[in-house]
Amino acid sequence: MTRTPSKPFLDRLAGLLGPKGYTTDLDSMAPWLTDWRGKYTGHAAAMLSPASTQEVAAVVRLCADEQVALVPQGGNSGMVGGATPDATGDQLLLSLRRMNRMRSIDTAARIAVADAGVILEAFHQEALAHGLRFPLTLGGKGSATIGGLVSTNAGGTQVLRHGTMRALVAGIEAVLPDGSIFDGLAPLKKDNRGYDLRHLLCGAEGTLGIVTAASLHLVPAAAARRTAWIAIDSPEQALILLRQLDASIGRELEGFEIIPHACLDAVLRHIPQTRAPIAAVHPWYVLAELAGESDQALSDALERELAAALDAGLIRDVVIAKNDRESDDFWRLRDSISEAERAEGPALQHDVSVPVDRMPTFIADNPARLTAAFPGTRALSFGHLGDGNVHHHVQPPVGVDGAAWLAEHGTAVSRLVYSHVIDLGGSISAEHGIGQMKRDILAELDSPARLAALRGIKAGLDPAGIFNPGKLIV
Amino acid sequence: MTRTPSKPFLDRLAGLLGPKGYTTDLDSMAPWLTDWRGKYTGHAAAMLSPASTQEVAAVVRLCADEQVALVPQGGNSGMVGGATPDATGDQLLLSLRRMNRMRSIDTAARIAVADAGVILEAFHQEALAHGLRFPLTLGGKGSATIGGLVSTNAGGTQVLRHGTMRALVAGIEAVLPDGSIFDGLAPLKKDNRGYDLRHLLCGAEGTLGIVTAASLHLVPAAAARRTAWIAIDSPEQALILLRQLDASIGRELEGFEIIPHACLDAVLRHIPQTRAPIAAVHPWYVLAELAGESDQALSDALERELAAALDAGLIRDVVIAKNDRESDDFWRLRDSISEAERAEGPALQHDVSVPVDRMPTFIADNPARLTAAFPGTRALSFGHLGDGNVHHHVQPPVGVDGAAWLAEHGTAVSRLVYSHVIDLGGSISAEHGIGQMKRDILAELDSPARLAALRGIKAGLDPAGIFNPGKLIV
């Protein structure tokens, strides 16, 4: 168990970090003690903002000695309350944002090394300034940090081609729970010295180590992109289309999102200055994007493949964006779904994955499972079909007090969704992680073998439990 | 500490596994108690050959209760004694070879699920029979098993394009040290449920879990390949060539091996029916291979790129194989180096990696470092330049009794090589693992932070130390 930090202990931390690195001022801390979705609020004995890996290590050594809990935080844009302290006020918030230096960029090897606090959008710009591209992006790019993206193994809309953060991490520097510094930044393509700490720390949500820097793979900047908005009958048909595109133009296929008409409809009703790319109503849409070197080659390939799909009756209709502005308009429809759904009223959101070929089954079967147990609910799935990952939103029955209904039935509804996912061999968290939001449901529904292994790893690396206690695993 | 198995305990195992699954016959066990290089020999209380994951789990539960050590073994073709029991005779050899069933193959998703004991070559054939290819191969393909390849995160000559085993593993089934079965076979593209057991078990050398099956990614069968034998001045020049080929035809570039003239010379002298592709003597050679769909397109690309390199003075000469037989002849030169080196007399072999761009520095500087401390030694590096991984062989001075000299100086020579590797941010084991061969040097030279983490993970998952004790970490 961790302890309440004493006044003399806090004074030592204040002395170590100086005025820029230490605060207990409530107004300064407030923005970082509530997660950005406003679902979790905590308290902290102090907020620490070290300026270097050595300072992080010194903080951790002190905390290890005193058994005081640390909650690491990057941009505070996580989805599961993983960076919010608990309510006791005994935990220390450890912000990595002050460590925001680019350490190096090697254009020949296409590797950049960045401090944990570098913001994703700044990292994108840094890569572009060197004629390169970091092929991971997501809605929170203006606040999400490299350290947070590594620690949560972030996903986004380019995973289909480039993988999640894990695939882009060439090396990691982290402070371990005993205060030692693990220097694994060297970008080794082969390294069989036993257990892979890089992969273990990636997605560990700060419970095993505090990521202080990362070496990241870059790719050549894409000179061209082409985006298509496709009307289609069903997720089954979309999966067939995906397999066809993958076989013929898989190397250029970077995005493949599916959107049901109800989601598009909500966007059109709630989000200003949006319009449907295809006027007629269709059950489903696919947003597909190619990226490559030649605009003409991409256009030719996309037109050829989609014309064939149209002729074969696999798709109902298609519009290809004529320019970047139209591409952006298509993506805005996709990226506004969550906002539009919020405007519709409260809903339960689930970020789930199953093996790709089982996703149409999940999407088709889940609404009926839900209405059988909870009549009147409406379930919508949209997102990354190519990754076997959809965001699955469940709305309360029409006419009830949504918030009250969710307070009463939400947990049971989610349990039903997650059980279905597990029946299909899937994961109750595809890209958002576990944090505090899914901690208890993970402990309830995951296999005893896996849970015991997770607990063993945690106990072996952080026996005192000072790193982000109460998150991920209990 | 583990215990000596009692007679009643062994009888229970014999009863559980039946006559096909249990033996103490010394002749039957002998081939599996010495590693294939003949460097390590051990004893075993019995050899267990379970027929199913359930039988493996039952064995592990019994051993966990009695704290008896298990040494898992696949094809017994490892390079570091990782599958050889110790000398006490107290350990049980757990062979996975009887579990050699293909469980499924999904040609649309390009995923095959194989039992741990399936042999790599059989797996290759199974994939080809479905029009697909498993893009990992190595010299021991006739004996190496899927479980062993996963547990050692095997490499080979196609890592440049397809990655090591880790990159090809979509899912794992394993028995954990408490006898529970971790079912992680579902091929999820996204799964952020905390610590990634798949990546942790991959390369753990059977010290954390016994891999019983794996889901593996396949790729379309390559219709065509083109192979070039290139004469070049130095590893620096080879690296420049690699970067150029990567930028222009990186998607097709599957192999890029470097070979010094002394290695070619040894092959020509010791291996029958070999001849130099280029008659003149050059300091270094590159063996480059493209794989793709069209023979003509590959030929055109390779000829264009290498003609440009020749014109620019980057390479000295080049021969492109006219057909598959010539390609095979080129590869035979590369694959015979170890055998030729053995014919030259005893040598110390090191399998090391550094960041790719530092490899020329290692190759250039290491011989002088060695001769400064050990006059007369000759050091040769060859292999996977594109992976930052060479096999670095050190030969004793001419005229001395090689075996005696190595017995006296071998450890110190290796320490010098490994220290240099670590100075360059590298790994003392690129692809062969740690096993018992490198266990002590790892404990001596790796960082205390990393070693403590490895020990913590081991203690957390296998507190009684029953899985492959004495290997990898102490």
Side-chain angles (χ1 to χ4, degrees), chain A residues 106 108-110 152-156 159-161 164 166 176 178 180-183 186-200 202-205 207-208 243 246-247 251-252 291-293 353-358 384 386-389 424-434 442 446-450 452-461 471-473, chain B residues 106 108-110 152-156 159-161 164 166 176 178 180-183 186-200 202-205 207-208 243 246-247 251-252 291-293 353-358 384 386-389 424-434 442 446-450 452-461 471-473:
Chain A
D106 179 340
R110 296 204 291 260
T152 59
N153 183 28
V159 172
L160 185 65
R161 178 161 162 199
T164 62
R166 178 184 302 289
L176 301 178
D178 61 359
S180 63
I181 297 170
F182 163 60
D183 176 3
L188 298 175
K189 291 198 173 180
K190 286 184 177 168
D191 180 11
N192 275 346
R193 276 175 298 167
Y195 319 144
D196 195 304
L197 298 185
R198 173 163 62 97
H199 280 294
L200 187 60
C202 194
E205 304 184 13
T207 63
L208 302 179
R243 299 268 196 241
D246 184 47
R251 288 169 170 181
E252 284 78 29
E293 281 150 39
S353 69
V354 296
V356 177
D357 54 356
R358 294 181 201 162
H384 326 292
D387 307 328
N389 166 212
L424 292 168
S427 170
I428 69 164
S429 182
E431 53 180 12
H432 294 167
I434 299 298
L442 181 77
D446 210 345
S447 79
R450 193 169 175 280
L454 264 51
R455 291 189 184 110
I457 294 165
K458 173 69 175 173
L461 285 175
K471 312 292 165 50
L472 209 170
I473 190 81
Chain B
D106 179 339
R110 296 204 292 260
T152 58
N153 183 28
V159 172
L160 185 66
R161 178 162 162 199
T164 62
R166 179 184 301 288
L176 301 178
D178 61 359
S180 63
I181 297 170
F182 163 60
D183 176 3
L188 298 176
K189 292 199 174 180
K190 285 183 177 169
D191 179 11
N192 275 345
R193 274 176 300 168
Y195 319 145
D196 195 304
L197 298 185
R198 172 163 63 96
H199 281 293
L200 187 60
C202 194
E205 304 184 12
T207 63
L208 302 179
R243 299 268 194 239
D246 184 47
R251 287 168 170 181
E252 284 79 28
E293 281 149 38
S353 69
V354 296
V356 177
D357 54 357
R358 294 181 201 164
H384 326 294
D387 308 328
N389 166 211
L424 292 169
S427 170
I428 69 164
S429 182
E431 54 181 12
H432 294 168
I434 299 298
L442 181 77
D446 211 345
S447 78
R450 193 168 174 280
L454 264 52
R455 291 190 184 107
I457 294 165
K458 173 70 176 173
L461 284 176
K471 312 293 164 50
L472 208 171
I473 191 79

Side-chain angles (χ1 to χ4, degrees), chain A residues 57 60-61 64-65 175-181 461-462 466-467, chain B residues 448-449 452-453:
Chain A
V60 173
R61 282 194 299 273
D65 285 347
V175 176
L176 301 178
D178 61 359
S180 63
I181 297 170
L461 285 175
D462 182 17
I466 63 168
F467 275 10

Side-chain angles (χ1 to χ4, degrees), chain B residues 3 35 96 116 153-154 199 211 229 254 261 380 382 392:
Chain B
R3 299 184 196 154
D35 76 313
L96 278 299
N153 183 28
H199 281 293
V211 174
W229 183 271
E254 196 158 282
H261 182 73
L380 293 172
F382 65 93
H392 180 77

